[in-house]
Structure formats: C-alpha cells, structure tokens
Amino acid sequence: MAPKHTLPGLPDKGRCLVMGVVNVTPDSFSDGGAWFDPERAVEHGLRLVAEGADIVDVGGESTRPGAQRVPADEELRRVEPVVRELAAHGVAVSVDTMRAEVAERSVEAGAVLVNDVSGGLADPAMARLVASSGVAYVLMHWRGHSHDMQSRAVYTDVVREVIDELRDRMEAMISAGVDPDQIVLDPGLGFSKRPEQAHNWALLRHLDRFHELGRPVLVAGSRKRFLSRLLSGAEGDRPFVECDAATAALTTLSADRGAWAVRVHDVRSSADAVRVAAAWSDGGAGLDEGRFPRTARGGR
C-alpha cells in the first residue's frame, strides 16, 4: 500500500483521485479539438465534475508526438478564461503547461495544481514560480519536446532509468526552493516511451517501485498509443477514442497499486473504477451499508 499524501489546495478523498482532461486545443490526439471554444471547454469541465472528476486539467498546448509548440500568448488566450471560470465554480483546477508565465497567470486565475510534462526542464523559471506560489506541482519524466521525443526513447533498464531521472529532477526542484510536499511524480507514459518496445507496460508493472521516491504518483495513460497498439486488430491500431474501457482497466490496476490520481478523458468509467479498487483493497470495510461514503464520492 502506498503512503497517503495530502497536497495543498487539492481534495483528499481517501482513494485514488480522478483528473479529467479538458484540451483547449484545435489538434488534440484524443478529441480533435472538440473543446477549443472556451465556453464549450468550461461546459465540458463542469460535466466532467458531474461525472466524478476530482480535478480538472486544462491544457492549451498539444503534447502529442510530433506536435509543434504554440506561442505563449496564444496558450494563455486559450487556457486563462477556462481556468478562471471553472475555479469560480469551485472546481479544483490544474493547468497543463510547461511555461512559468502560463502557470503563474493560471494560478492567479484560481488553478491549484501545475501539471508540467517537462518536469521543469522546458522553462528554467518554473521552479521559482512553483516555490514562490506554494502550488502543488506535477513533475513528469521528460526527455524532450514532442517533435523529437520518441528518438530519445533509448533505455537499458527503463524502470530504473525513469526512477533515477525523476529523482534527479525532484532534487533539482527542491534545491531551487520547491517544498517536497508540493510535488507529485508522473512516470510520463507515452513520452519518450515506445509502445513497440513495451516501455509503458514495464513502468506500469513496476508502479510500486516509484513509491520509493516518497511522493504521490500520477498515472496518465488515457487513450495513449500503447493502449491502441495493445488492442490492434486486422485493420491496425484501435482508434484512441475507442480505448476508454482499457483506460478504465488501467485505472483500476493503478489505483490498486497506490496511484495518487489518474488523468483520464472519459471520467465516468474511471470514477467507477477507483471506487471498485478502493472497495476491493479493504474488502468493503470502508463502505456505508454497501455504498461508498458520501464524503469520498467526489462529483457523483
């Protein structure tokens, strides 16, 4: 069983949390830009909360393999109004960004978590911003930007190397003033990890080893290529949007192995899955007449 962690500004439900994804981009691999309009993005975020999301992660820059970066002012234009409106509705909002400027403006708008897929490597100012704001921070394993990250997916022992590189980045952030209690770690599924070499599955199989770093772990495998490859058939890899049942299975297993949270596109199935995992883990001891306790249900 993983140690329990409480993070500043974030809910504590006594179970694995569910982070719902809102991509305010025109070119997301998972939804094709369905929520690019800010009003639709806010509506979608509120719908995810109603379906059981404990946190809503708002991103304005695609990080799919091969994606090119957008200017900072455009990223801000996309995410800031969505973060502000969702926070005004009482939603625990995460901002998915590699830029300190975007993170700072989003925190000012009400975000309580910065989800940085670069682990502080893309912007040297990120550590100072996180340290000074006191905001919770997801530090992901990262080896390079989307346009060339897969060329960097060369490992002798992927589990050990990812753990060591996460430890190095965490120590660097702490040296820059970040409180260890602010940090969440993310193994970076799909980022410089090749599905054909099963890098992602090796990391998931040994998820418990990441607890040796002493920080909560976020698992973000929803609709990623290693799932579509696993489920491939005669017509090729399964479309990303048809991988939600597999994502829910991944959620159940991750929650059972002590993940602090899962980041998913289809919230309802994963909100159910974390409750199944919690009931399974203690044999139903935490249930109230067979029901999940109301205080731990989140948005359901």
Side-chain angles (χ1 to χ4, degrees):
M1 181 64 67
K4 300 297 183 183
H5 297 277
T6 301
L7 288 139
L10 289 165
D12 180 5
K13 301 289 185 178
R15 55 161 171 78
C16 178
L17 299 178
V18 177
M19 177 187 288
V21 179
V22 175
N23 291 311
V24 195
T25 59
D27 56 348
S28 167
F29 79 92
S30 65
D31 54 39
W35 320 117
F36 188 46
D37 176 76
E39 290 187 8
R40 294 192 67 194
V42 170
E43 290 173 0
H44 184 54
L46 294 175
R47 183 162 54 250
L48 294 182
V49 172
E51 292 176 352
D54 304 298
I55 306 165
V56 173
D57 190 42
V58 179
E61 181 177 33
S62 176
T63 53
R64 60 181 171 78
Q68 299 297 315
R69 302 209 68 187
V70 299
D73 58 350
E74 173 61 14
E75 186 184 356
L76 266 172
R77 186 193 68 79
R78 296 175 181 182
V79 303
E80 188 175 12
V82 179
V83 170
R84 189 177 303 280
E85 188 65 19
L86 288 174
H89 280 82
V91 177
V93 181
S94 165
V95 60
D96 182 352
T97 185
M98 293 181 275
R99 290 185 169 107
E101 177 187 1
V102 176
E104 181 176 24
R105 292 273 292 274
S106 297
V107 170
E108 291 171 354
V112 293
L113 176 67
V114 174
N115 182 11
D116 178 2
V117 301
S118 81
L121 288 168
D123 187 342
M126 184 65 83
R128 293 192 297 274
L129 179 276
V130 174
S132 63
S133 68
V135 71
Y137 177 71
V138 175
L139 187 163
M140 196 192 81
H141 177 262
W142 189 78
R143 284 186 168 182
H145 287 289
S146 297
H147 69 276
D148 70 344
M149 66 181 178
Q150 295 308 80
S151 67
R152 301 169 187 259
V154 179
Y155 303 93
T156 300
D157 180 342
V158 64
V159 178
R160 173 47 52 196
E161 289 171 55
V162 169
I163 289 173
D164 287 347
E165 289 170 31
L166 275 176
R167 180 184 288 108
D168 289 345
R169 286 306 308 149
M170 182 168 65
E171 291 175 352
M173 296 295 283
I174 292 169
S175 295
V178 176
D179 189 320
D181 288 343
Q182 294 174 250
I183 297 174
V184 174
L185 299 175
D186 179 347
L189 301 178
F191 288 80
S192 299
K193 320 289 187 309
R194 288 193 172 276
E196 64 273 18
Q197 295 183 18
H199 291 148
N200 302 285
W201 294 114
L203 294 168
L204 289 164
R205 172 66 179 82
H206 296 284
L207 192 63
D208 59 325
R209 290 178 58 185
F210 287 85
H211 299 311
E212 72 185 50
L213 297 175
R215 298 307 305 148
V217 177
L218 172 68
V219 174
S222 178
R223 296 183 179 177
K224 288 191 174 175
R225 189 173 300 277
F226 72 97
L227 290 178
S228 68
R229 174 64 60 90
L230 175 75
L231 303 173
S232 62
E235 297 180 355
D237 291 357
R238 184 173 295 184
F240 298 126
V241 295
E242 295 180 17
C243 293
D244 289 334
T247 296
L250 190 66
T251 289
T252 308
L253 294 167
S254 298
D256 185 60
R257 284 156 177 74
W260 166 76
V262 290
R263 182 182 182 274
V264 299
H265 299 84
D266 181 64
V267 162
R268 185 176 294 277
S269 59
S270 282
D272 290 346
V274 297
R275 287 157 177 78
V276 169
W280 181 293
S281 69
D282 65 5
L287 301 180
D288 179 7
E289 296 186 344
R291 301 182 182 90
F292 215 79
R294 185 172 299 278
T295 56
R297 290 180 195 174
R300 298 290 299 279

